Amino acid sequence: MDYEMMVAIAIGVPLVGTALAPLVGKFGRKYLAIFAVIMAFIGASGTVMLLWDVWIDNVQAVKLSFDWAPSIGLNFTIYLDPLAVMMAFVAGCIGALVVLYSVKYMEGSPGLSRYYALVLLFIGSMVALVFTDNLLVLYFFWEIIGLCSSALIGFNQTDQKAAKAGIKAFVTTRVGDLAFLIGIFALFAGAREIGATVDEAFSIQWLIA
């Protein structure tokens, strides 16, 4: 199995699970829970396979590039190195175990389709965040993670404390996210000043080098 397929499994399967969770939920809570667990563990298997290939085969780095906005020379680039793969393995496997544990914990709670959709989106976004080599894509997934986190904190909408905590988390993190976005464009402007292309100016690995 090639790296593109393993990355697609690690990132894509949880995201597909997010989209399908509300539909599966119409068939009943039991089927929804089974579906969420299966999707989470399939996604985790992608990170396990990547960890095995990169660490066992002692691969230093693998770069995968996909056209994103070719008209302006911007690509969606995946950079797989031992650290990124290890972080994805932790996020994917712990996320899958959380989904499995929460089957019993969340049993009987209202809004289970929303819960499982948010958790699967959280997992897929965390894996995508550690794999991406593009600062704009990283920021996109960072924002999704923040939104999922706030929504899960305030998941129990009948509990006023939980609802207020979710709103507080959302507002607080927006301050840091704004500073993060400003930093991204400051780096971009600096890179362009020294002659970098648009793609290079947003590339994490290029900026590090």
Side-chain angles (χ1 to χ4, degrees):
M1 188 177 294
D2 58 19
Y3 288 108
E4 289 90 346
M5 182 61 70
M6 287 186 278
V7 169
I9 291 172
I11 299 175
V13 170
L15 297 183
V16 170
T18 297
L20 295 179
L23 178 62
V24 177
K26 295 182 182 296
F27 294 94
R29 291 171 175 267
K30 179 181 177 181
Y31 294 106
L32 175 60
I34 293 172
F35 170 77
V37 170
I38 290 173
M39 296 302 276
F41 273 90
I42 291 175
S45 71
T47 67
V48 172
M49 289 185 288
L50 283 168
L51 185 74
W52 180 270
D53 272 23
V54 172
W55 281 75
I56 299 301
D57 293 342
N58 197 29
V59 176
Q60 294 304 309
V62 176
K63 190 173 183 179
L64 309 173
S65 187
F66 308 93
D67 286 339
W68 179 25
S71 61
I72 60 173
L74 195 58
N75 296 321
F76 173 28
T77 304
I78 297 291
Y79 190 84
L80 307 175
D81 62 8
L83 178 59
V85 171
M86 175 57 76
M87 294 299 293
F89 170 76
V90 171
C93 291
I94 291 181
L97 291 173
V98 167
V99 174
L100 179 62
Y101 169 79
S102 65
V103 169
K104 187 66 177 178
Y105 183 79
M106 296 296 293
E107 190 177 36
S109 298
L112 278 183
S113 293
R114 176 165 54 93
Y115 168 76
Y116 285 120
L118 285 169
V119 174
L120 289 171
L121 181 59
F122 204 146
I123 295 170
S125 298
M126 284 192 293
V127 174
L129 182 142
V130 299
F131 278 164
T132 184
D133 184 44
N134 185 287
L135 285 170
L136 283 181
V137 177
L138 183 147
Y139 184 78
F140 172 75
F141 284 112
W142 178 268
E143 284 297 299
I144 292 178
I145 290 170
L147 289 172
C148 290
S149 178
S150 301
L152 287 168
I153 290 171
F155 177 77
N156 187 355
Q157 298 176 344
T158 60
D159 185 341
Q160 288 299 313
K161 288 184 178 180
K164 289 180 180 178
I167 294 172
K168 182 179 179 180
F170 177 81
V171 173
T172 303
T173 54
R174 295 291 73 75
V175 177
D177 291 352
L178 177 60
F180 186 18
L181 186 60
I182 292 171
I184 288 173
F185 281 102
L187 287 171
F188 173 80
R192 292 288 284 169
E193 282 289 326
I194 61 174
T197 65
V198 172
D199 191 47
E200 288 172 340
F202 282 118
S203 171
I204 299 170
Q205 295 303 316
W206 189 90
L207 291 169
I208 291 174

